[in-house]
Coordinates of all heavy atoms in Angstrom, one line a residue:
M1 N 0.8 -1.2 0.0 CA 0.0 0.0 0.0 C 0.9 1.2 0.0 O 1.9 1.3 0.7 CB -0.9 0.0 1.2 CG -1.8 1.1 1.3 SD -2.9 0.9 2.7 CE -4.0 2.3 2.5
G2 N 0.5 2.3 -0.7 CA 1.2 3.5 -0.8 C 1.1 4.3 0.5 O 0.5 3.9 1.4
D3 N 1.8 5.5 0.4 CA 1.7 6.4 1.6 C 0.3 6.8 1.8 O -0.4 7.1 0.9 CB 2.6 7.6 1.4 CG 4.1 7.2 1.4 OD1 4.4 6.2 2.0 OD2 4.9 7.9 0.8
V4 N -0.1 6.9 3.1 CA -1.4 7.4 3.4 C -1.2 8.8 4.1 O -0.4 8.9 5.0 CB -2.1 6.5 4.4 CG1 -3.4 7.1 4.9 CG2 -2.4 5.1 3.7
K5 N -2.0 9.8 3.6 CA -1.9 11.1 4.3 C -3.0 11.2 5.3 O -4.2 11.2 5.0 CB -2.1 12.2 3.2 CG -2.0 13.6 3.7 CD -2.1 14.6 2.6 CE -1.9 16.0 3.0 NZ -2.1 16.9 1.9
L6 N -2.6 11.2 6.6 CA -3.5 11.3 7.7 C -3.5 12.7 8.2 O -2.5 13.2 8.8 CB -3.2 10.3 8.8 CG -4.0 10.4 10.0 CD1 -5.5 10.1 9.7 CD2 -3.5 9.4 11.1
L7 N -4.6 13.4 8.2 CA -4.7 14.8 8.7 C -5.4 14.6 10.1 O -6.3 13.8 10.3 CB -5.7 15.6 7.8 CG -5.3 15.7 6.4 CD1 -6.4 16.3 5.6 CD2 -4.0 16.4 6.2
V8 N -4.8 15.4 11.1 CA -5.3 15.4 12.4 C -5.8 16.8 12.8 O -5.0 17.7 12.7 CB -4.3 14.8 13.4 CG1 -4.8 14.8 14.8 CG2 -3.8 13.4 13.0
E9 N -7.0 16.9 13.3 CA -7.5 18.1 13.8 C -7.9 18.0 15.2 O -8.5 17.0 15.6 CB -8.8 18.5 12.9 CG -9.5 19.7 13.4 CD -8.7 21.0 13.0 OE1 -7.7 21.0 12.3 OE2 -9.2 22.1 13.3
T10 N -7.6 18.9 16.1 CA -8.0 18.9 17.5 C -9.1 20.0 17.7 O -9.1 21.0 17.1 CB -6.9 19.2 18.4 OG1 -6.3 20.4 18.1 CG2 -5.8 18.1 18.3
K11 N -10.1 19.6 18.5 CA -11.2 20.5 18.8 C -11.3 20.5 20.3 O -11.8 19.5 20.9 CB -12.5 20.1 18.1 CG -12.4 20.2 16.6 CD -12.3 21.6 16.2 CE -12.3 21.8 14.7 NZ -12.3 23.1 14.3
Y12 N -11.0 21.6 21.0 CA -11.1 21.7 22.4 C -12.4 22.4 22.8 O -12.7 23.5 22.3 CB -9.9 22.5 23.0 CG -10.0 22.8 24.4 CD1 -9.6 21.8 25.3 CD2 -10.4 24.0 24.9 CE1 -9.7 22.0 26.7 CE2 -10.5 24.3 26.3 CZ -10.2 23.3 27.2 OH -10.3 23.5 28.5
K13 N -13.1 21.8 23.7 CA -14.3 22.4 24.3 C -14.0 22.9 25.7 O -13.5 22.1 26.5 CB -15.4 21.4 24.3 CG -15.8 20.8 23.0 CD -16.6 21.7 22.1 CE -18.0 21.8 22.6 NZ -18.8 22.7 21.8
S14 N -14.3 24.1 26.0 CA -14.1 24.6 27.4 C -14.9 23.8 28.4 O -14.5 23.7 29.5 CB -14.3 26.1 27.5 OG -15.6 26.4 27.1
D15 N -16.1 23.4 27.9 CA -16.9 22.5 28.8 C -17.1 21.2 28.0 O -18.0 21.1 27.1 CB -18.3 23.2 29.0 CG -19.2 22.4 29.9 OD1 -18.8 21.2 30.3 OD2 -20.3 22.8 30.2
P16 N -16.4 20.2 28.3 CA -16.5 18.9 27.6 C -17.8 18.2 27.7 O -18.1 17.3 27.0 CB -15.3 18.1 28.2 CG -15.0 18.7 29.5 CD -15.4 20.1 29.4
R17 N -18.7 18.7 28.6 CA -20.0 18.1 28.7 C -20.9 18.6 27.6 O -21.9 17.9 27.3 CB -20.6 18.4 30.1 CG -19.9 17.7 31.3 CD -20.3 18.3 32.6 NE -20.0 19.7 32.6 CZ -20.2 20.5 33.6 NH1 -20.7 20.0 34.7 NH2 -19.9 21.8 33.5
R18 N -20.5 19.7 27.0 CA -21.3 20.2 25.8 C -20.9 19.4 24.6 O -19.7 19.2 24.4 CB -21.1 21.6 25.6 CG -21.6 22.4 26.8 CD -21.7 23.9 26.5 NE -22.7 24.0 25.5 CZ -23.0 25.2 24.9 NH1 -22.4 26.3 25.3 NH2 -23.9 25.3 24.0
P19 N -21.9 18.9 23.8 CA -21.5 18.1 22.7 C -20.7 18.8 21.6 O -20.9 20.0 21.4 CB -22.9 17.6 22.1 CG -23.9 18.5 22.7 CD -23.3 19.1 24.0
F20 N -19.8 18.1 20.9 CA -19.1 18.6 19.8 C -20.0 18.2 18.6 O -20.0 17.0 18.2 CB -17.7 18.1 19.7 CG -17.0 18.4 18.4 CD1 -16.9 19.8 18.0 CD2 -16.5 17.5 17.6 CE1 -16.3 20.1 16.8 CE2 -15.8 17.8 16.4 CZ -15.7 19.1 16.1
K21 N -20.6 19.1 17.9 CA -21.5 18.8 16.8 C -20.8 18.8 15.5 O -21.4 18.4 14.5 CB -22.7 19.8 16.8 CG -23.5 19.7 18.1 CD -24.7 20.5 18.1 CE -25.4 20.4 19.4 NZ -26.8 20.2 19.2
G22 N -19.6 19.4 15.4 CA -18.9 19.3 14.1 C -19.2 20.5 13.1 O -18.7 20.5 12.0
S23 N -19.9 21.5 13.6 CA -20.2 22.6 12.7 C -18.9 23.4 12.2 O -18.9 23.9 11.1 CB -21.2 23.6 13.3 OG -20.7 24.1 14.5
T24 N -17.9 23.3 13.0 CA -16.7 24.0 12.6 C -15.8 23.2 11.7 O -14.7 23.7 11.2 CB -15.8 24.3 13.9 OG1 -15.5 23.1 14.6 CG2 -16.6 25.3 14.8
L25 N -16.2 22.0 11.3 CA -15.5 21.2 10.4 C -15.7 21.5 8.9 O -14.9 21.1 8.1 CB -15.8 19.7 10.6 CG -15.4 19.1 12.0 CD1 -15.9 17.7 12.1 CD2 -13.9 19.2 12.2
D26 N -16.7 22.2 8.6 CA -17.0 22.5 7.2 C -15.8 23.0 6.4 O -15.5 22.5 5.3 CB -18.2 23.3 7.0 CG -19.5 22.6 7.3 OD1 -19.5 21.4 7.3 OD2 -20.5 23.3 7.6
P27 N -15.2 24.1 6.8 CA -14.0 24.6 6.1 C -12.9 23.6 5.9 O -12.3 23.5 4.9 CB -13.5 25.8 6.9 CG -14.7 26.2 7.8 CD -15.4 24.9 8.0
L28 N -12.7 22.8 6.9 CA -11.7 21.8 6.9 C -12.1 20.7 5.9 O -11.2 20.2 5.1 CB -11.5 21.2 8.2 CG -10.5 20.0 8.4 CD1 -9.1 20.5 8.0 CD2 -10.5 19.4 9.8
L29 N -13.3 20.2 5.9 CA -13.7 19.2 5.0 C -13.6 19.5 3.5 O -13.3 18.7 2.7 CB -15.2 18.8 5.3 CG -15.4 18.1 6.6 CD1 -16.9 17.9 6.9 CD2 -14.7 16.7 6.6
S30 N -13.7 20.8 3.2 CA -13.6 21.2 1.8 C -12.1 21.1 1.3 O -11.9 21.2 0.1 CB -14.1 22.7 1.7 OG -13.3 23.6 2.3
R31 N -11.2 21.0 2.3 CA -9.8 20.9 1.9 C -9.2 19.5 2.0 O -8.0 19.3 1.7 CB -9.0 21.8 2.8 CG -9.3 23.3 2.6 CD -8.5 24.1 3.5 NE -8.5 25.5 3.0 CZ -7.8 26.5 3.4 NH1 -6.9 26.2 4.3 NH2 -7.9 27.7 2.9
V32 N -10.0 18.6 2.4 CA -9.5 17.2 2.5 C -9.5 16.6 1.1 O -10.5 16.6 0.4 CB -10.4 16.3 3.5 CG1 -10.0 14.9 3.5 CG2 -10.4 16.9 4.9
G33 N -8.4 16.1 0.7 CA -8.2 15.5 -0.6 C -9.0 14.2 -0.8 O -9.4 13.6 0.2
I34 N -9.1 13.8 -2.0 CA -10.0 12.6 -2.3 C -9.4 11.3 -1.6 O -10.2 10.4 -1.4 CB -10.2 12.4 -3.8 CG1 -11.3 11.5 -4.1 CG2 -8.9 12.0 -4.5 CD1 -11.9 11.7 -5.4
A35 N -8.2 11.2 -1.4 CA -7.6 10.0 -0.8 C -7.1 10.3 0.7 O -6.6 9.4 1.3 CB -6.4 9.5 -1.6
D36 N -7.2 11.5 1.1 CA -6.8 11.9 2.5 C -7.7 11.2 3.5 O -8.9 11.0 3.3 CB -6.8 13.4 2.7 CG -5.8 14.1 1.8 OD1 -4.9 13.4 1.2 OD2 -5.9 15.3 1.7
R37 N -7.1 11.0 4.7 CA -7.8 10.5 5.9 C -7.8 11.6 6.9 O -6.9 12.4 7.0 CB -7.2 9.3 6.5 CG -6.7 8.2 5.4 CD -7.9 7.6 4.7 NE -7.5 6.8 3.6 CZ -7.0 5.6 3.6 NH1 -6.9 5.0 4.8 NH2 -6.7 4.9 2.5
L38 N -8.9 11.7 7.7 CA -9.0 12.8 8.7 C -9.4 12.2 10.0 O -10.4 11.4 10.2 CB -10.1 13.8 8.3 CG -10.4 14.9 9.3 CD1 -9.2 15.8 9.6 CD2 -11.6 15.8 8.8
L39 N -8.6 12.5 11.0 CA -8.9 12.1 12.4 C -9.2 13.4 13.2 O -8.3 14.3 13.2 CB -7.8 11.4 13.0 CG -7.9 11.0 14.5 CD1 -9.1 10.2 14.8 CD2 -6.6 10.4 15.0
V40 N -10.3 13.5 13.8 CA -10.7 14.7 14.7 C -10.7 14.2 16.1 O -11.4 13.2 16.5 CB -12.1 15.3 14.3 CG1 -12.4 16.4 15.2 CG2 -12.1 15.7 12.8
V41 N -9.9 14.9 16.9 CA -9.7 14.5 18.3 C -10.3 15.7 19.2 O -9.8 16.8 19.0 CB -8.3 14.2 18.7 CG1 -8.1 13.8 20.2 CG2 -7.7 13.1 17.8
T42 N -11.2 15.3 20.0 CA -11.8 16.4 20.9 C -11.9 15.9 22.3 O -11.9 14.7 22.6 CB -13.2 16.8 20.4 OG1 -13.8 17.8 21.2 CG2 -14.2 15.6 20.3
N43 N -12.0 16.8 23.2 CA -12.2 16.5 24.6 C -13.7 16.4 25.0 O -14.0 16.0 26.1 CB -11.5 17.5 25.6 CG -12.1 18.9 25.5 OD1 -12.5 19.3 24.4 ND2 -12.2 19.5 26.6
A44 N -14.6 16.6 24.0 CA -16.0 16.6 24.3 C -16.4 15.1 24.5 O -15.9 14.2 23.8 CB -16.8 17.2 23.2
F45 N -17.3 14.9 25.5 CA -17.7 13.5 25.7 C -18.7 13.0 24.7 O -18.7 11.8 24.3 CB -18.4 13.4 27.1 CG -17.5 13.9 28.2 CD1 -18.0 14.8 29.2 CD2 -16.2 13.4 28.4 CE1 -17.2 15.2 30.3 CE2 -15.4 13.8 29.4 CZ -15.9 14.7 30.4
N46 N -19.5 13.9 24.1 CA -20.5 13.5 23.1 C -20.1 14.0 21.8 O -20.0 15.2 21.5 CB -21.9 14.1 23.5 CG -23.0 13.7 22.5 OD1 -22.7 13.4 21.4 ND2 -24.2 13.7 23.0
V47 N -19.8 13.0 20.9 CA -19.3 13.4 19.5 C -20.2 12.8 18.5 O -19.8 12.7 17.3 CB -17.8 12.9 19.3 CG1 -16.9 13.6 20.3 CG2 -17.7 11.4 19.4
D48 N -21.4 12.4 18.8 CA -22.3 11.7 17.9 C -22.6 12.5 16.7 O -22.5 12.0 15.6 CB -23.6 11.3 18.6 CG -23.4 10.2 19.7 OD1 -22.3 9.5 19.7 OD2 -24.3 10.1 20.6
D49 N -23.0 13.8 16.8 CA -23.3 14.6 15.7 C -22.1 14.8 14.8 O -22.3 14.7 13.5 CB -23.9 15.9 16.1 CG -25.3 15.8 16.8 OD1 -26.0 14.8 16.6 OD2 -25.7 16.7 17.5
A50 N -21.0 15.1 15.3 CA -19.8 15.3 14.5 C -19.4 14.0 13.8 O -19.0 14.0 12.7 CB -18.6 15.8 15.4
R51 N -19.5 12.9 14.5 CA -19.2 11.6 13.9 C -20.1 11.3 12.7 O -19.7 10.9 11.6 CB -19.4 10.5 14.9 CG -18.9 9.1 14.5 CD -18.9 8.1 15.6 NE -17.8 8.4 16.5 CZ -17.8 8.2 17.8 NH1 -18.9 7.8 18.4 NH2 -16.7 8.5 18.5
Q52 N -21.4 11.7 12.8 CA -22.3 11.5 11.7 C -22.0 12.4 10.5 O -22.0 12.0 9.4 CB -23.8 11.7 12.2 CG -24.8 11.5 11.1 CD -26.2 11.7 11.6 OE1 -26.5 11.8 12.8 NE2 -27.1 11.9 10.6
A53 N -21.7 13.7 10.9 CA -21.3 14.6 9.8 C -20.1 14.2 9.1 O -20.0 14.3 7.8 CB -21.1 16.0 10.4
L54 N -19.1 13.7 9.8 CA -17.8 13.3 9.1 C -18.1 12.0 8.3 O -17.6 11.9 7.2 CB -16.8 13.0 10.2 CG -15.3 13.1 9.8 CD1 -15.0 14.5 9.3 CD2 -14.4 12.7 10.9
N55 N -18.9 11.1 8.8 CA -19.2 9.9 8.1 C -19.9 10.2 6.8 O -19.7 9.6 5.8 CB -20.1 9.0 9.0 CG -20.2 7.6 8.3 OD1 -19.3 7.1 7.8 ND2 -21.4 7.1 8.4
E56 N -20.8 11.2 6.8 CA -21.6 11.6 5.6 C -20.6 12.2 4.6 O -20.9 12.0 3.4 CB -22.7 12.6 5.9 CG -23.8 11.9 6.7 CD -24.8 12.9 7.2 OE1 -24.7 14.2 7.0 OE2 -25.8 12.5 7.9
N57 N -19.6 12.9 5.0 CA -18.7 13.5 4.1 C -17.5 12.7 3.7 O -17.1 12.8 2.5 CB -18.1 14.8 4.7 CG -19.1 15.9 4.7 OD1 -19.3 16.6 3.7 ND2 -19.9 16.1 5.8
L58 N -17.0 11.9 4.6 CA -15.8 11.1 4.3 C -15.9 9.6 4.3 O -15.0 8.9 3.9 CB -14.6 11.5 5.2 CG -14.2 13.0 5.1 CD1 -13.1 13.2 6.2 CD2 -13.7 13.3 3.7
G59 N -17.0 9.1 4.9 CA -17.2 7.7 5.0 C -16.1 7.1 5.9 O -15.8 7.6 7.0
T60 N -15.5 6.0 5.4 CA -14.5 5.3 6.2 C -13.2 6.0 6.3 O -12.3 5.6 7.0 CB -14.3 3.9 5.6 OG1 -13.8 4.0 4.3 CG2 -15.5 3.1 5.7
R61 N -13.1 7.2 5.6 CA -11.8 7.9 5.6 C -11.8 9.0 6.7 O -10.8 9.7 6.8 CB -11.6 8.7 4.3 CG -11.4 7.7 3.1 CD -11.1 8.5 1.8 NE -12.2 9.4 1.4 CZ -11.9 10.7 1.3 NH1 -10.8 11.3 1.5 NH2 -12.9 11.5 1.0
G62 N -12.8 9.0 7.6 CA -12.8 9.9 8.7 C -13.2 9.3 10.0 O -14.0 8.4 10.0
R63 N -12.7 9.8 11.1 CA -13.1 9.4 12.4 C -13.1 10.6 13.3 O -12.3 11.5 13.2 CB -12.0 8.4 13.0 CG -11.9 7.1 12.3 CD -13.0 6.1 12.7 NE -12.8 4.8 12.2 CZ -13.0 4.5 10.9 NH1 -13.3 5.5 10.0 NH2 -12.8 3.3 10.4
V64 N -14.0 10.6 14.3 CA -14.0 11.6 15.4 C -14.0 10.8 16.7 O -14.8 9.8 16.9 CB -15.3 12.4 15.4 CG1 -15.4 13.3 16.6 CG2 -15.5 13.1 14.1
I65 N -13.1 11.1 17.5 CA -13.0 10.4 18.8 C -12.9 11.4 20.0 O -12.5 12.6 19.8 CB -11.7 9.5 18.9 CG1 -10.4 10.3 18.9 CG2 -11.8 8.4 17.8 CD1 -9.2 9.6 19.4
S66 N -13.3 11.0 21.1 CA -13.2 11.7 22.3 C -11.9 11.3 23.1 O -11.8 10.1 23.3 CB -14.4 11.5 23.2 OG -14.3 12.3 24.4
W67 N -11.0 12.2 23.4 CA -9.8 11.9 24.1 C -9.7 12.9 25.2 O -9.6 14.1 25.0 CB -8.6 12.0 23.1 CG -7.3 11.5 23.8 CD1 -6.8 10.2 23.7 CD2 -6.4 12.2 24.5 NE1 -5.6 10.1 24.4 CE2 -5.4 11.3 24.9 CE3 -6.3 13.5 25.0 CZ2 -4.3 11.7 25.7 CZ3 -5.3 13.9 25.8 CH2 -4.3 13.0 26.1
V68 N -9.6 12.3 26.4 CA -9.5 13.2 27.6 C -8.2 13.0 28.3 O -7.7 13.9 28.9 CB -10.7 12.9 28.6 CG1 -10.6 13.8 29.8 CG2 -12.0 13.1 27.9
G69 N -7.6 11.9 28.1 CA -6.3 11.6 28.7 C -5.8 10.2 28.4 O -6.3 9.6 27.5
P70 N -4.7 9.8 29.0 CA -4.1 8.5 28.7 C -5.0 7.3 28.7 O -4.8 6.4 28.0 CB -3.0 8.4 29.7 CG -2.6 9.8 30.1 CD -3.9 10.6 30.0
K71 N -6.1 7.4 29.5 CA -7.0 6.3 29.5 C -7.7 6.1 28.2 O -8.3 5.0 27.9 CB -8.0 6.5 30.6 CG -9.0 7.6 30.4 CD -10.0 7.8 31.5 CE -11.0 8.9 31.2 NZ -11.8 8.7 30.0
D72 N -7.7 7.1 27.3 CA -8.3 7.0 26.0 C -7.3 6.7 24.9 O -7.7 6.7 23.7 CB -9.0 8.3 25.7 CG -10.1 8.7 26.7 OD1 -10.9 7.7 27.0 OD2 -10.2 9.8 27.1
D73 N -6.1 6.4 25.3 CA -5.1 6.1 24.3 C -5.4 4.9 23.4 O -5.1 4.9 22.2 CB -3.7 5.8 24.9 CG -3.0 7.1 25.3 OD1 -3.5 8.2 25.0 OD2 -2.0 7.0 26.0
D74 N -6.1 3.9 23.9 CA -6.5 2.7 23.1 C -7.5 3.1 22.0 O -7.4 2.6 20.9 CB -7.1 1.6 24.0 CG -6.1 0.9 24.8 OD1 -4.9 1.0 24.5 OD2 -6.5 0.2 25.8
V75 N -8.4 4.0 22.3 CA -9.4 4.5 21.3 C -8.6 5.3 20.2 O -8.9 5.1 19.0 CB -10.4 5.4 22.0 CG1 -11.3 6.1 21.0 CG2 -11.2 4.6 23.0
L76 N -7.7 6.1 20.6 CA -6.9 6.9 19.7 C -6.0 6.0 18.8 O -6.0 6.1 17.6 CB -5.9 7.9 20.5 CG -5.0 8.7 19.6 CD1 -5.7 9.6 18.6 CD2 -4.1 9.5 20.6
R77 N -5.4 5.0 19.4 CA -4.6 4.1 18.6 C -5.4 3.3 17.6 O -5.0 3.1 16.5 CB -3.9 3.1 19.6 CG -2.9 2.2 18.9 CD -2.1 1.3 20.0 NE -1.4 2.1 20.9 CZ -1.7 2.3 22.2 NH1 -2.8 1.7 22.7 NH2 -1.0 3.1 23.0
A78 N -6.6 2.8 18.0 CA -7.5 2.1 17.1 C -7.9 2.9 16.0 O -8.0 2.5 14.8 CB -8.7 1.6 17.9
A79 N -8.3 4.2 16.2 CA -8.7 5.1 15.2 C -7.6 5.3 14.1 O -7.8 5.3 12.9 CB -9.2 6.4 15.7
V80 N -6.4 5.6 14.6 CA -5.2 5.8 13.7 C -5.0 4.5 12.9 O -4.8 4.5 11.7 CB -4.0 6.2 14.5 CG1 -2.7 6.1 13.6 CG2 -4.2 7.6 15.1
D81 N -5.0 3.3 13.6 CA -4.8 2.1 12.9 C -5.8 1.8 11.8 O -5.4 1.4 10.7 CB -4.8 0.9 13.8 CG -3.6 0.8 14.7 OD1 -2.6 1.5 14.4 OD2 -3.6 0.1 15.7
E82 N -7.1 2.1 12.0 CA -8.1 2.0 11.0 C -7.9 2.9 9.9 O -8.2 2.5 8.7 CB -9.5 2.2 11.7 CG -9.9 1.1 12.6 CD -11.2 1.4 13.4 OE1 -11.9 2.4 13.0 OE2 -11.5 0.7 14.3
L83 N -7.5 4.1 10.1 CA -7.4 5.1 9.1 C -6.2 4.9 8.2 O -6.2 5.3 7.0 CB -7.4 6.5 9.7 CG -8.7 7.0 10.2 CD1 -8.6 8.2 11.0 CD2 -9.7 7.2 9.1
V84 N -5.1 4.3 8.7 CA -3.9 4.2 7.9 C -3.9 2.8 7.2 O -2.9 2.6 6.4 CB -2.6 4.4 8.7 CG1 -2.6 5.9 9.2 CG2 -2.4 3.5 9.8
R85 N -4.8 2.0 7.5 CA -4.8 0.7 6.8 C -5.3 0.8 5.4 O -6.0 1.7 5.0 CB -5.8 -0.3 7.5 CG -5.1 -1.1 8.5 CD -6.0 -2.2 8.9 NE -6.5 -1.8 10.2 CZ -7.6 -2.3 10.7 NH1 -8.3 -3.2 10.1 NH2 -8.1 -1.9 11.9

């Protein structure tokens, strides 16, 4: 398999209990190339809406995960592994 371009975007919420809906992703999505992969990492606990928006735009080439600290490293690792395969 050739080189995979993985883009990583972080989204910090001052109150992680408020959902990350993904509305700020639109400008970024317009710049993602046809073969690029996108991983969005946020501290928000609820990422359902953003996950759905990314899935509609990128399908299996995009992931949104919630990462709060080292306890979430397995989720981060799994997302990266899936995207670079």
Side-chain angles (χ1 to χ4, degrees):
M1 182 175 185
D3 291 336
V4 173
K5 184 175 180 182
L6 177 61
L7 308 169
V8 179
E9 177 76 4
T10 58
K11 295 294 183 177
Y12 175 78
K13 300 287 282 183
S14 58
D15 181 356
R17 295 170 296 184
R18 297 194 63 182
F20 172 55
K21 297 185 181 223
S23 60
T24 59
L25 294 177
D26 287 340
L28 176 63
L29 289 171
S30 68
R31 294 181 165 190
V32 175
I34 194 155
D36 297 344
R37 316 294 170 80
L38 175 62
L39 174 60
V40 179
V41 181
T42 181
N43 65 321
F45 302 133
N46 181 335
V47 297
D48 294 341
D49 291 340
R51 188 172 285 148
Q52 181 178 345
L54 204 62
N55 189 44
E56 288 171 3
N57 283 279
L58 298 178
T60 60
R61 295 184 303 117
R63 295 279 185 288
V64 177
I65 65 159
S66 179
W67 188 93
V68 181
K71 70 178 180 61
D72 299 315
D73 282 353
D74 288 342
V75 173
L76 176 60
R77 187 175 299 108
V80 170
D81 287 346
E82 289 173 11
L83 288 168
V84 297
R85 268 193 261 159

